[in-house]
Structure formats: structure tokens, C-alpha cells
Amino acid sequence: DWGVIVGLIDHPVWSNRVKFFDTIAEMVQGPRKFEIQTNLDKVATAYIERLVDTHYKVSLCALKTLPGFITFACSEIEPYLERLLVKIFTKHSDPKQDVKKLAKDSVEHIAFMYRPATLIPVMLRVLDNNAPKIRGPSLDFLARIIKTAQDHLSQPSAMKTVLHKCLNIAIQVSNHDVEKQCNNMLILLHTQHPNPFITAGATLPPSDQCELRNRLASVIPTIAEDLKRAKKRPKTGDVESVGSELLEAPIPGLANYTPPGAQVPQQPPVSHRPGTPTHSQVHTTQQQQHQPVTNQQQNYVTQQPHSAVGQQHAQQVEHGQLQQHSQRSTTP
């Protein structure tokens, strides 16, 4: 009965609490796994609470069965990762070696099951915990993830978040070991992802940039010049504006060019003053002046006078034809 199983979580006898986790390990492998899915929040909360149980055998059993539970409900457990990891990291400094080993194995399993893009934001929240016994193993685990986070940390916003968090902890922490770990983390970030690191570093406030240069100058001698160059690079908006200006600028020699097969657009008529001949009228007049008048055109002009000038011209042509005809008729 599920009610009986749930009652074992807070049982005063430690062996019964152990029995709860042994039962969960059996259920995720058998036909009753759907009961765990229905009561997932209850089971996940039990792991979070009993990973730091007062009896080490309860913690040991919880750590031993945790990888199987994570494999069974990987995506559903994601919202609980932060609290789970905080509890697991506290066991990294457990005096009992078997507990410490299982804690490290659990972390390795989590790193195997989840992508860096999922784990890095979770780890940055875990680092908000000020306890050195949590921050120390958290930074070690974050360093492990960073080495395989090429895609995620190539994004400037993601790199800046990690860089800013590690730098601020190094500045504010009073524990020398944790500060040293943060400095090593900064070096690792630059070694694994140099270009995103410099780009993100150049966007930090001036005081943080100064702190970054001071901490890395001995290991990265060019850090000051690299940050200075990165600040001088044009922003995305500037590049886009320059590109648009270049695209819109006319290219010499191509002003009147028409691609093969393209239709030539019709030009709108040019407005002119009344009484002034248009370009087409002038062009037509010039053609008429240079072309001889054919008989067909003469007849057309004779038959179709459209104006006073046309009528006069038609009469002159007709009179000339009559004179020629009379001369031919009187000739012997």
C-alpha cells in the first residue's frame, strides 16, 4: 500500500527509513513505477530531506538509490536539482569514505544525465550558498561542466553570467581556498573559451574589468590589451547600419544598367509648360523633316487635313498635281 510506504519516510526507526528507499529502488524497476510518477513530489522531497539524515546509513541508502530515481524521472526531477545538489555537496566532506564516494558518484551521474545548458544556471544558484563546504565542491563540479559547455558558453550572455558570478565570489569571499578556486575558474573559462570570455569581459563594469585584469595579468599577460580591443569593436547595430548604407549606395557604371530579360519600366510623362512641345513631339518633327514624303503620305495628308496648316499644305499639293496634269495634257 502506498500510504504505508510513504509513512516510512519519517519513521523514528532508521531501518524503516532505509526500507523506504529500498522500496523506491524496486518500484522504479517494476510494474508499480506509475505510483512513483503520481507521487513524484513526495519522493523527491524525501530524497532532499534524507540525504542529510542524522543516521549515516539512511544517507548512504538515499545516495545509493538516487541515480536510479534520476534515471527514471530525469525531466520531472529537473526543478528539484538545485536542492538535491546542495544536499549532495554537503556529503562531499562527510567523514565516512563510503558516503563521500557515493556523493561524488551521484554528482557524476547528474552530469551524465543533464546538458551543460541545464546544469550551469542551476550551479550558479547553488553558488549563492555561502558555506565553504558547499561552494568548494560546487566550483569543482562547475569546472567539470565548463569543459564540455562549448555551445552554451559561446553565447555572450551565458559567458557573462558565469564570469560575473565567479569574479564577484572571488572579490567578496573571505575563504582563501574558495577565492583561489574562483581565480582558477576564470583562467579555465579563458582557456576553454577565449573569444567569448574576452567579449563578455569587455562588457563588464569598469571596476570589474580592473579586478579581472589584476587577477589574470600574471597568467594572461595580454588580458588588458585584449579587453581594450574588444571594447573598440563595432556593436551589432553599427555593423548593420554600415551594411545598409553600403547596400543602398549607387554603384558607378550601373545607374542605367538593365539586366538581360528584365522589362524596362515606363517613365512617367514629364510635365511641361503649355505651348512647349514635348520630347516626343520634337522627336517626331525631326523625323518628319528628315524623311521624304511618299505618295501614300501625300494622299493621307490630302484626305485627312486635321488643322489649318494641314489644309493649306493639302491645297498646295493638290494644286501642284493639277498643274502637272494640265501641262502633260497640252503637250503635243
Side-chain angles (χ1 to χ4, degrees), residues 80-112:
Y80 302 91
L81 278 178
E82 180 183 346
R83 288 181 288 166
L84 279 170
L85 284 167
V86 169
K87 302 298 183 180
I88 295 172
F89 288 139
T90 61
K91 291 300 176 181
H92 279 219
S93 56
D94 195 276
K96 298 188 181 302
Q97 291 300 318
D98 50 354
V99 174
K100 185 185 297 185
K101 182 181 182 304
L102 284 174
K104 293 182 178 180
D105 292 344
S106 297
V107 167
E108 289 298 317
H109 186 74
I110 290 174
F112 175 77

Side-chain angles (χ1 to χ4, degrees), residues 256-264:
N256 300 321
Y257 173 73
T258 302
Q263 296 183 356
V264 180

Side-chain angles (χ1 to χ4, degrees), residues 61-300:
C61 188
L63 287 169
K64 187 185 300 183
T65 59
L66 180 61
F69 177 58
I70 292 174
T71 303
F72 166 72
C74 182
S75 59
E76 293 85 352
I77 298 173
E78 189 174 322
Y80 302 91
L81 278 178
E82 180 183 346
R83 288 181 288 166
L84 279 170
L85 284 167
V86 169
K87 302 298 183 180
I88 295 172
F89 288 139
T90 61
K91 291 300 176 181
H92 279 219
S93 56
D94 195 276
K96 298 188 181 302
Q97 291 300 318
D98 50 354
V99 174
K100 185 185 297 185
K101 182 181 182 304
L102 284 174
K104 293 182 178 180
D105 292 344
S106 297
V107 167
E108 289 298 317
H109 186 74
I110 290 174
F112 175 77
M113 294 298 298
Y114 295 94
R115 298 177 298 111
T118 300
L119 288 176
I120 288 179
V122 173
M123 290 307 304
L124 295 181
R125 295 194 298 269
V126 172
L127 285 172
D128 289 334
N129 195 304
N130 295 328
K133 68 177 183 179
I134 295 177
R135 268 188 173 170
S138 298
L139 287 168
D140 289 338
F141 184 53
L142 181 59
R144 180 197 186 287
I145 301 171
I146 285 174
K147 294 177 182 178
T148 60
Q150 181 66 40
D151 293 339
H152 181 64
L153 293 179
S154 63
Q155 304 173 25
S157 58
M159 172 60 78
K160 183 177 180 179
T161 304
V162 179
L163 174 58
H164 189 259
K165 173 68 73 173
C166 294
L167 183 61
N168 278 354
I169 294 176
I171 295 171
Q172 299 171 6
V173 73
S174 57
N175 187 288
H176 178 71
D177 293 334
V178 173
E179 181 183 4
K180 184 178 180 180
Q181 280 183 292
C182 289
N183 290 337
N184 291 335
M185 184 74 67
L186 295 174
I187 296 172
L188 178 65
L189 285 170
H190 182 272
T191 302
Q192 295 290 327
H193 319 283
N195 291 334
F197 180 90
I198 295 299
T199 302
T203 63
L204 293 175
S207 58
D208 287 348
Q209 290 189 42
C210 181
E211 189 71 34
L212 188 64
R213 290 194 300 267
N214 294 337
R215 290 179 179 274
L216 300 183
S218 60
V219 182
I220 310 171
T222 61
I223 184 67
E225 291 299 322
D226 292 342
L227 292 173
K228 188 181 298 184
R229 275 197 301 270
K231 289 183 67 175
K232 293 181 179 179
R233 294 173 188 167
K235 297 180 181 179
T236 304
D238 297 336
V239 174
E240 291 177 353
S241 63
V242 172
S244 62
E245 291 175 0
L246 291 176
L247 290 174
E248 294 174 0
I251 302 175
L254 295 183
N256 300 321
Y257 173 73
T258 302
Q263 296 183 356
V264 180
Q266 297 294 331
Q267 298 294 332
V270 180
S271 61
H272 58 281
R273 295 189 303 273
T276 304
T278 62
H279 176 75
S280 59
Q281 292 173 341
V282 173
H283 182 68
T284 303
T285 304
Q286 291 176 349
Q287 287 182 340
Q288 291 175 353
Q289 292 177 352
H290 290 82
Q291 292 181 358
V293 179
T294 63
N295 293 334
Q296 184 178 1
Q297 290 172 331
Q298 288 178 353
N299 293 335
Y300 176 79

